[in-house]
Coordinates of all heavy atoms in Angstrom, one line a residue:
P112 N 1.3 25.3 -25.8 CA 1.6 24.3 -26.7 C 2.6 24.8 -27.8 O 3.5 24.1 -28.3 CB 0.2 23.8 -27.2 CG -0.7 24.1 -26.1 CD -0.2 25.4 -25.6
A113 N 2.3 26.0 -28.3 CA 3.2 26.5 -29.4 C 4.5 26.8 -28.8 O 5.6 26.4 -29.6 CB 2.6 27.8 -30.0
A114 N 4.7 27.2 -27.6 CA 6.1 27.4 -27.0 C 6.8 26.1 -26.9 O 7.9 26.0 -27.1 CB 5.9 28.1 -25.7
V115 N 6.0 25.1 -26.4 CA 6.6 23.8 -26.2 C 7.0 23.1 -27.6 O 8.1 22.6 -27.7 CB 5.7 22.8 -25.5 CG1 6.2 21.4 -25.4 CG2 5.5 23.4 -24.0
A116 N 6.2 23.3 -28.6 CA 6.6 22.8 -29.9 C 7.9 23.4 -30.3 O 8.7 22.8 -31.0 CB 5.4 23.1 -30.9
E117 N 8.1 24.7 -30.1 CA 9.4 25.4 -30.5 C 10.5 24.8 -29.6 O 11.6 24.6 -30.2 CB 9.2 27.0 -30.3 CG 8.4 27.6 -31.3 CD 8.9 27.3 -32.8 OE1 10.1 27.4 -33.0 OE2 8.1 26.9 -33.6
L118 N 10.3 24.6 -28.4 CA 11.3 24.0 -27.5 C 11.8 22.7 -28.1 O 12.9 22.3 -28.1 CB 10.8 23.9 -26.1 CG 10.9 25.2 -25.3 CD1 10.1 24.9 -23.9 CD2 12.3 25.6 -25.0
R119 N 10.8 21.9 -28.5 CA 11.1 20.6 -29.0 C 12.0 20.6 -30.3 O 12.7 19.6 -30.6 CB 9.8 19.8 -29.4 CG 9.1 19.3 -28.2 CD 7.8 18.7 -28.5 NE 8.0 17.3 -28.9 CZ 7.3 16.7 -29.9 NH1 6.5 17.3 -30.6 NH2 7.6 15.4 -30.2
K120 N 12.0 21.7 -31.0 CA 12.8 21.9 -32.2 C 14.3 22.2 -31.9 O 15.2 22.1 -32.8 CB 12.3 22.9 -33.1 CG 11.0 22.6 -33.7 CD 10.5 23.8 -34.5 CE 9.0 23.6 -35.0 NZ 8.6 24.8 -35.7
T121 N 14.6 22.6 -30.6 CA 15.9 22.9 -30.2 C 16.7 21.7 -29.9 O 16.2 20.8 -29.3 CB 15.9 23.9 -29.1 OG1 15.3 23.4 -28.0 CG2 15.2 25.2 -29.5
P122 N 18.0 21.8 -30.2 CA 18.9 20.6 -29.8 C 19.1 20.6 -28.3 O 19.0 21.6 -27.7 CB 20.2 20.8 -30.6 CG 20.2 22.3 -30.9 CD 18.8 22.8 -31.0
G123 N 19.3 19.3 -27.8 CA 19.7 19.2 -26.4 C 19.1 18.0 -25.9 O 18.4 17.3 -26.5
G124 N 19.2 17.8 -24.6 CA 18.7 16.7 -23.9 C 17.2 16.8 -23.6 O 16.6 17.8 -24.0
D125 N 16.7 16.0 -22.8 CA 15.2 15.9 -22.6 C 14.9 17.1 -21.6 O 15.6 17.5 -20.7 CB 14.9 14.6 -21.9 CG 15.1 13.5 -22.7 OD1 15.2 13.6 -24.0 OD2 15.2 12.3 -22.2
L126 N 13.6 17.7 -21.8 CA 13.0 18.5 -20.8 C 12.0 17.6 -20.0 O 11.3 16.9 -20.6 CB 12.2 19.6 -21.5 CG 13.0 20.8 -22.0 CD1 12.1 21.8 -22.7 CD2 13.9 21.4 -20.9
H127 N 12.1 17.6 -18.7 CA 11.4 16.7 -17.9 C 10.2 17.5 -17.2 O 10.3 18.5 -16.7 CB 12.2 16.1 -16.7 CG 13.3 15.3 -17.3 ND1 14.6 15.7 -17.2 CD2 13.3 14.2 -18.0 CE1 15.4 14.7 -17.8 NE2 14.6 13.8 -18.3
I128 N 9.1 16.7 -17.4 CA 7.8 17.3 -16.6 C 7.7 16.4 -15.4 O 7.6 15.1 -15.5 CB 6.6 17.2 -17.5 CG1 6.8 18.1 -18.8 CG2 5.4 17.6 -16.7 CD1 5.5 17.9 -19.7
M129 N 7.6 17.0 -14.2 CA 7.3 16.2 -13.0 C 6.0 16.9 -12.4 O 5.9 18.0 -12.5 CB 8.4 16.3 -12.0 CG 9.7 15.7 -12.4 SD 11.0 15.7 -11.1 CE 11.2 17.5 -10.9
G130 N 5.1 16.0 -11.9 CA 3.8 16.6 -11.5 C 3.2 17.2 -12.7 O 3.1 16.6 -13.7
S131 N 2.7 18.4 -12.5 CA 2.1 19.3 -13.6 C 1.0 18.5 -14.5 O 1.0 18.5 -15.7 CB 3.3 19.7 -14.5 OG 4.3 20.3 -13.8
G132 N 0.0 18.0 -13.8 CA -1.0 17.3 -14.6 C -1.8 18.1 -15.6 O -2.1 17.6 -16.6
A133 N -2.0 19.3 -15.2 CA -2.8 20.2 -16.2 C -1.9 20.5 -17.4 O -2.4 20.4 -18.6 CB -3.2 21.4 -15.5
L134 N -0.7 20.6 -17.2 CA 0.3 20.8 -18.3 C 0.3 19.6 -19.2 O 0.3 19.7 -20.5 CB 1.6 21.2 -17.8 CG 2.8 21.4 -18.8 CD1 2.4 22.5 -19.8 CD2 4.1 21.6 -18.1
I135 N 0.5 18.4 -18.6 CA 0.5 17.2 -19.4 C -0.8 17.0 -20.2 O -0.8 16.7 -21.3 CB 0.7 16.0 -18.4 CG1 2.1 16.0 -17.8 CG2 0.5 14.7 -19.2 CD1 2.2 15.1 -16.5
A136 N -1.9 17.4 -19.6 CA -3.2 17.2 -20.3 C -3.3 18.1 -21.4 O -3.9 17.9 -22.4 CB -4.4 17.4 -19.3
S137 N -2.6 19.3 -21.5 CA -2.7 20.2 -22.5 C -1.7 19.9 -23.6 O -2.0 20.2 -24.8 CB -2.4 21.7 -22.0 OG -1.0 21.8 -21.7
L138 N -0.7 19.2 -23.3 CA 0.3 18.7 -24.4 C 0.1 17.4 -24.9 O 0.4 17.2 -26.2 CB 1.7 18.9 -23.7 CG 2.2 20.2 -23.2 CD1 3.6 20.0 -22.5 CD2 2.2 21.2 -24.2
A139 N -0.2 16.4 -24.2 CA -0.3 15.1 -24.6 C -1.2 14.9 -25.9 O -0.8 14.2 -26.8 CB -0.7 14.1 -23.5
P140 N -2.5 15.4 -25.9 CA -3.3 15.1 -27.0 C -2.8 15.8 -28.3 O -3.2 15.4 -29.3 CB -4.6 15.8 -26.6 CG -4.6 16.0 -25.1 CD -3.2 16.1 -24.7
L141 N -1.9 16.7 -28.2 CA -1.3 17.3 -29.4 C 0.0 16.7 -29.8 O 0.7 17.1 -30.7 CB -1.0 18.8 -29.0 CG -2.2 19.6 -28.6 CD1 -1.8 21.0 -28.2 CD2 -3.2 19.7 -29.7
G142 N 0.3 15.5 -29.2 CA 1.5 14.9 -29.6 C 2.8 15.4 -29.1 O 3.9 15.2 -29.7
L143 N 2.7 16.3 -28.1 CA 3.9 17.1 -27.6 C 4.7 16.4 -26.5 O 5.6 17.0 -25.9 CB 3.5 18.4 -27.2 CG 3.0 19.3 -28.4 CD1 2.6 20.7 -28.0 CD2 4.1 19.4 -29.5
V144 N 4.2 15.1 -26.0 CA 5.0 14.4 -25.0 C 5.6 13.2 -25.7 O 4.8 12.4 -26.3 CB 4.0 13.9 -23.9 CG1 4.8 13.1 -22.8 CG2 3.4 15.2 -23.2
D145 N 6.8 13.0 -25.5 CA 7.6 12.0 -26.3 C 7.7 10.7 -25.6 O 7.8 9.6 -26.1 CB 8.9 12.5 -26.7 CG 8.9 13.7 -27.6 OD1 8.5 13.5 -28.8 OD2 9.2 14.8 -27.2
E146 N 7.6 10.8 -24.2 CA 7.9 9.6 -23.4 C 7.3 9.9 -22.0 O 7.3 10.9 -21.5 CB 9.4 9.4 -23.3 CG 9.8 8.0 -22.7 CD 11.3 7.8 -22.9 OE1 11.7 7.3 -23.9 OE2 12.0 8.1 -22.0
Y147 N 7.0 8.7 -21.3 CA 6.5 8.7 -20.0 C 7.3 7.7 -19.1 O 7.4 6.5 -19.5 CB 5.0 8.3 -19.8 CG 4.0 9.2 -20.5 CD1 3.9 9.1 -21.9 CD2 3.4 10.1 -19.8 CE1 3.0 9.9 -22.5 CE2 2.4 10.9 -20.5 CZ 2.3 10.9 -21.8 OH 1.4 11.7 -22.4
L148 N 8.1 8.2 -18.2 CA 8.7 7.2 -17.2 C 7.9 7.3 -16.0 O 7.8 8.3 -15.3 CB 10.2 7.7 -16.9 CG 10.9 6.8 -16.0 CD1 11.2 5.5 -16.6 CD2 12.2 7.5 -15.5
L149 N 7.2 6.2 -15.8 CA 6.2 6.2 -14.6 C 6.7 5.1 -13.6 O 7.0 4.0 -13.9 CB 4.9 5.8 -15.2 CG 4.3 6.7 -16.2 CD1 2.9 6.2 -16.7 CD2 4.1 8.1 -15.7
C150 N 6.6 5.5 -12.3 CA 6.8 4.6 -11.3 C 5.4 4.3 -10.8 O 4.7 5.1 -10.1 CB 7.6 5.2 -10.1 SG 9.4 5.6 -10.6
I151 N 5.0 3.0 -11.1 CA 3.6 2.6 -10.8 C 3.6 1.8 -9.5 O 4.1 0.7 -9.3 CB 3.1 1.7 -11.9 CG1 3.3 2.4 -13.3 CG2 1.7 1.2 -11.7 CD1 3.1 1.6 -14.5
H152 N 2.9 2.5 -8.5 CA 2.9 2.0 -7.1 C 1.8 0.9 -7.0 O 0.7 1.1 -7.5 CB 2.8 3.0 -6.1 CG 4.0 3.9 -6.1 ND1 4.8 3.9 -5.0 CD2 4.5 4.8 -7.0 CE1 5.9 4.7 -5.2 NE2 5.7 5.3 -6.4
P153 N 1.9 -0.1 -6.2 CA 1.0 -1.3 -6.1 C 0.0 -0.8 -5.0 O -0.2 -1.5 -4.0 CB 1.8 -2.4 -5.5 CG 3.0 -1.7 -4.8 CD 3.3 -0.4 -5.5
L154 N -0.9 0.2 -5.4 CA -1.9 0.6 -4.5 C -3.0 1.3 -5.3 O -2.7 1.9 -6.4 CB -1.5 1.4 -3.3 CG -1.0 2.8 -3.6 CD1 -1.6 3.8 -2.6 CD2 0.5 2.8 -3.4
V155 N -4.3 1.3 -4.8 CA -5.3 1.9 -5.4 C -5.8 2.9 -4.4 O -6.1 2.5 -3.2 CB -6.5 0.9 -5.8 CG1 -7.7 1.7 -6.3 CG2 -6.0 0.1 -7.0
L156 N -5.9 4.2 -4.8 CA -6.5 5.2 -3.9 C -8.0 5.5 -4.0 O -8.6 5.9 -3.1 CB -5.7 6.6 -4.1 CG -4.2 6.5 -3.7 CD1 -3.6 7.8 -3.9 CD2 -4.1 6.0 -2.3
G157 N -8.5 5.2 -5.2 CA -10.0 5.4 -5.5 C -10.4 6.9 -5.6 O -11.5 7.2 -5.9
A158 N -9.5 7.9 -5.3 CA -9.8 9.3 -5.5 C -8.5 10.1 -5.8 O -7.4 9.6 -5.4 CB -10.4 9.8 -4.3
G159 N -8.6 11.2 -6.4 CA -7.5 12.0 -6.7 C -7.3 12.4 -8.1 O -7.9 11.7 -9.0
R160 N -6.4 13.2 -8.4 CA -6.2 13.7 -9.8 C -5.3 12.6 -10.5 O -4.4 12.2 -10.0 CB -5.5 15.0 -9.9 CG -6.4 16.2 -9.4 CD -5.7 17.5 -9.3 NE -6.5 18.5 -8.9 CZ -7.3 19.3 -9.6 NH1 -7.2 19.2 -10.9 NH2 -8.1 20.2 -9.1
R161 N -5.8 12.2 -11.6 CA -5.2 11.1 -12.4 C -4.4 11.6 -13.6 O -4.6 12.8 -14.1 CB -6.3 10.1 -12.9 CG -6.9 9.4 -11.8 CD -7.9 8.3 -12.2 NE -9.0 9.0 -12.9 CZ -9.7 8.5 -14.0 NH1 -9.3 7.3 -14.4 NH2 -10.6 9.0 -14.6
L162 N -3.4 10.9 -13.9 CA -2.5 11.3 -15.0 C -3.3 11.4 -16.3 O -3.2 12.3 -17.1 CB -1.4 10.2 -15.2 CG -0.4 10.4 -16.5 CD1 0.2 11.7 -16.3 CD2 0.5 9.2 -16.5
F163 N -4.2 10.4 -16.6 CA -5.1 10.6 -17.8 C -6.6 10.6 -17.2 O -7.1 9.5 -16.9 CB -4.8 9.3 -18.8 CG -3.5 9.3 -19.2 CD1 -2.6 8.3 -18.8 CD2 -3.0 10.3 -20.1 CE1 -1.2 8.2 -19.4 CE2 -1.8 10.2 -20.7 CZ -0.9 9.2 -20.2
A164 N -7.1 11.7 -17.2 CA -8.5 11.9 -16.7 C -9.5 11.5 -17.6 O -9.2 11.2 -18.8 CB -8.6 13.4 -16.4
D165 N -10.7 11.3 -17.1 CA -11.8 10.9 -17.9 C -11.9 11.8 -19.1 O -11.6 13.1 -18.9 CB -13.2 11.0 -17.1 CG -13.2 9.9 -16.1 OD1 -12.5 9.0 -16.2 OD2 -14.1 10.1 -15.2
G166 N -12.2 11.4 -20.2 CA -12.3 12.2 -21.5 C -11.1 12.3 -22.3 O -11.0 13.0 -23.3
F167 N -10.0 11.8 -21.7 CA -8.6 11.8 -22.5 C -8.8 11.0 -23.7 O -9.5 9.9 -23.8 CB -7.6 11.2 -21.6 CG -6.1 11.6 -22.2 CD1 -5.6 12.7 -21.8 CD2 -5.5 10.7 -23.0 CE1 -4.3 13.0 -22.3 CE2 -4.3 11.0 -23.5 CZ -3.7 12.1 -23.1
A168 N -8.3 11.5 -24.9 CA -8.5 10.8 -26.2 C -7.8 9.4 -26.1 O -6.7 9.3 -25.5 CB -7.8 11.7 -27.2
P169 N -8.4 8.5 -26.7 CA -7.7 7.1 -26.7 C -6.5 7.2 -27.4 O -6.3 7.8 -28.4 CB -8.8 6.3 -27.6 CG -10.1 7.0 -27.4 CD -9.8 8.5 -27.3
T170 N -5.5 6.7 -26.7 CA -4.0 6.7 -27.1 C -3.4 5.3 -26.9 O -3.6 4.8 -25.8 CB -3.3 7.8 -26.5 OG1 -4.0 9.0 -26.5 CG2 -1.9 8.0 -26.9
A171 N -2.6 4.8 -27.9 CA -1.9 3.6 -27.7 C -0.4 4.0 -27.4 O 0.1 5.0 -27.8 CB -2.0 2.7 -29.0
F172 N 0.2 3.1 -26.5 CA 1.5 3.3 -26.2 C 2.3 2.0 -26.4 O 1.9 0.9 -26.4 CB 1.7 3.7 -24.7 CG 1.0 5.1 -24.3 CD1 -0.2 5.1 -24.0 CD2 1.9 6.1 -24.3 CE1 -0.8 6.4 -23.7 CE2 1.3 7.4 -24.1 CZ 0.0 7.5 -23.7
D173 N 3.6 2.2 -26.7 CA 4.5 1.1 -26.8 C 5.4 1.1 -25.5 O 5.6 2.2 -24.9 CB 5.6 1.3 -28.0 CG 4.9 1.2 -29.3 OD1 4.0 0.5 -29.5 OD2 5.3 1.9 -30.3
V174 N 5.7 0.0 -25.0 CA 6.6 -0.2 -23.8 C 7.9 -0.3 -24.2 O 8.3 -1.2 -24.9 CB 6.1 -1.4 -23.0 CG1 7.0 -1.6 -21.7 CG2 4.7 -1.4 -22.6
A175 N 8.7 0.7 -23.8 CA 10.2 0.7 -24.1 C 11.0 -0.1 -23.1 O 11.9 -0.6 -23.4 CB 10.7 2.2 -24.2
D176 N 10.5 -0.1 -21.8 CA 11.1 -0.8 -20.8 C 10.2 -1.0 -19.6 O 9.4 0.0 -19.4 CB 12.4 0.0 -20.4 CG 13.3 -0.8 -19.4 OD1 13.5 -2.0 -19.6 OD2 13.7 -0.3 -18.4
A177 N 10.3 -2.0 -18.9 CA 9.6 -2.2 -17.6 C 10.4 -3.0 -16.6 O 10.9 -4.1 -17.0 CB 8.3 -2.9 -17.8
T178 N 10.6 -2.4 -15.4 CA 11.4 -3.1 -14.4 C 10.7 -3.1 -13.1 O 10.3 -2.1 -12.6 CB 12.8 -2.3 -14.3 OG1 13.3 -2.2 -15.5 CG2 13.7 -3.0 -13.3
P179 N 10.5 -4.3 -12.5 CA 10.0 -4.4 -11.1 C 11.1 -4.0 -10.1 O 12.2 -4.3 -10.3 CB 9.4 -5.8 -11.0 CG 10.3 -6.6 -11.9 CD 10.7 -5.6 -13.0
T180 N 10.6 -3.4 -9.0 CA 11.6 -3.0 -7.9 C 11.3 -3.9 -6.8 O 10.3 -4.5 -6.6 CB 11.6 -1.6 -7.6 OG1 10.4 -1.3 -6.8 CG2 11.6 -0.7 -8.8
A181 N 12.3 -3.9 -5.8 CA 12.1 -4.7 -4.6 C 10.9 -4.3 -3.7 O 10.4 -5.0 -3.0 CB 13.4 -4.6 -3.7
S182 N 10.5 -3.0 -3.9 CA 9.4 -2.5 -3.1 C 8.0 -2.8 -3.8 O 7.0 -2.4 -3.3 CB 9.6 -1.0 -2.8 OG 9.4 -0.2 -4.0
G183 N 8.0 -3.4 -4.9 CA 6.8 -3.7 -5.6 C 6.4 -2.7 -6.7 O 5.5 -2.8 -7.3
V184 N 7.1 -1.6 -6.8 CA 7.0 -0.5 -7.8 C 7.3 -1.1 -9.2 O 8.4 -1.7 -9.2 CB 7.6 0.8 -7.4 CG1 7.5 1.7 -8.6 CG2 7.1 1.3 -6.2
I185 N 6.7 -0.8 -10.2 CA 7.1 -1.1 -11.5 C 7.6 0.2 -12.2 O 6.7 1.2 -12.2 CB 5.9 -1.6 -12.4 CG1 5.3 -2.9 -11.8 CG2 6.4 -1.9 -13.9 CD1 6.2 -4.1 -11.7
I186 N 8.8 0.3 -12.7 CA 9.3 1.5 -13.3 C 9.1 1.1 -14.8 O 9.7 0.2 -15.4 CB 10.8 1.7 -13.1 CG1 11.0 1.9 -11.6 CG2 11.3 2.9 -13.9 CD1 12.4 1.9 -11.1
A187 N 8.2 1.9 -15.4 CA 7.9 1.6 -16.8 C 8.1 2.8 -17.7 O 7.8 3.9 -17.3 CB 6.4 1.2 -16.9

Side-chain angles (χ1 to χ4, degrees):
V115 171
E117 286 302 311
L118 283 171
R119 288 176 80 222
K120 294 177 185 176
T121 60
D125 298 339
L126 282 180
H127 298 112
I128 300 176
M129 295 185 301
S131 306
L134 176 60
I135 294 166
S137 73
L138 300 178
L141 302 174
L143 295 174
V144 176
D145 299 290
E146 190 171 274
Y147 296 82
L148 180 69
L149 302 178
C150 291
I151 305 166
H152 290 251
L154 66 135
V155 171
L156 294 180
R160 293 177 180 266
R161 294 183 294 143
L162 177 59
F163 300 109
D165 290 344
F167 194 87
T170 306
F172 293 90
D173 293 327
V174 179
D176 187 45
T178 306
T180 73
S182 69
V184 171
I185 304 292
I186 302 171

